[in-house]
Amino acid sequence: MAASSSQDEEIGSINITPMVDVILVLLVIFMVTANFLKKESLNINLPKVQASDPNVAESTQVAITKTGVIFLEGQETTISSLIRNLERDAKIRPNMRLTLSADETLPYGKITELMGVIRKAGVTKIALSVKK
């Protein structure tokens, strides 16, 4: 009877040390992997204005850096590839909007030249991206 009474006793405390160890390991794993999930961004200094268009997120994004590198939806591209992609998209969506992000130090002539290429591809609704 003495052996059965020791088995029937309730445990008065629970050791939570293993659970804390597992939680800390998971926290470290999440902290390390969070750095790799960071979205790449372009280093473009947009000009500041008082008011801006709130519908910019619904349009196709084209960016040009201060060195003249062109990006379409975050992917580096060339002028010929940009024209080809925009012509294809303009046929699918005739009223498509395009937002052009250009570095504020970029010469005005480069921006208007790129706008001309975009219009030649069939996109007529072009907005310039700015900082509010």
Side-chain angles (χ1 to χ4, degrees):
M1 291 267 172
S4 65
S5 66
S6 66
Q7 292 177 353
D8 293 338
E9 291 180 19
E10 293 183 21
I11 299 174
S13 64
I14 298 174
N15 188 2
I16 63 167
T17 305
M19 183 181 69
V20 172
D21 290 344
V22 169
I23 290 173
L24 288 176
V25 168
L26 289 174
L27 179 65
V28 169
I29 290 171
F30 286 131
M31 289 172 56
V32 169
T33 57
N35 290 335
F36 297 114
L37 299 176
K38 209 183 287 185
K39 186 177 179 183
E40 290 293 322
S41 62
L42 301 175
N43 189 13
I44 294 178
N45 296 321
L46 297 173
K48 293 182 182 177
V49 296
Q50 297 297 323
S52 62
D53 186 5
N55 298 323
V56 169
E58 300 171 2
S59 63
T60 302
Q61 303 292 318
V62 173
I64 182 168
T65 63
K66 61 183 168 184
T67 58
V69 179
I70 300 171
F71 290 86
L72 175 62
E73 295 293 340
Q75 301 294 322
E76 188 173 340
T77 187
T78 61
I79 292 287
S80 60
S81 177
L82 177 69
I83 292 171
R84 201 170 38 252
N85 287 327
L86 290 179
E87 284 175 344
R88 183 193 67 225
D89 290 349
K91 287 178 185 174
I92 296 169
R93 300 179 348 199
N95 291 328
M96 75 178 275
R97 293 182 55 171
L98 184 135
T99 302
L100 177 61
S101 302
D103 195 274
E104 67 183 347
T105 60
L106 201 63
Y108 183 67
K110 286 279 191 190
I111 297 169
T112 56
E113 180 182 325
L114 183 58
M115 288 177 72
V117 167
I118 293 168
R119 284 190 186 273
K120 186 177 179 182
V123 180
T124 57
K125 295 182 179 181
I126 303 171
L128 294 176
S129 182
V130 292
K131 266 194 289 190
K132 193 171 181 181

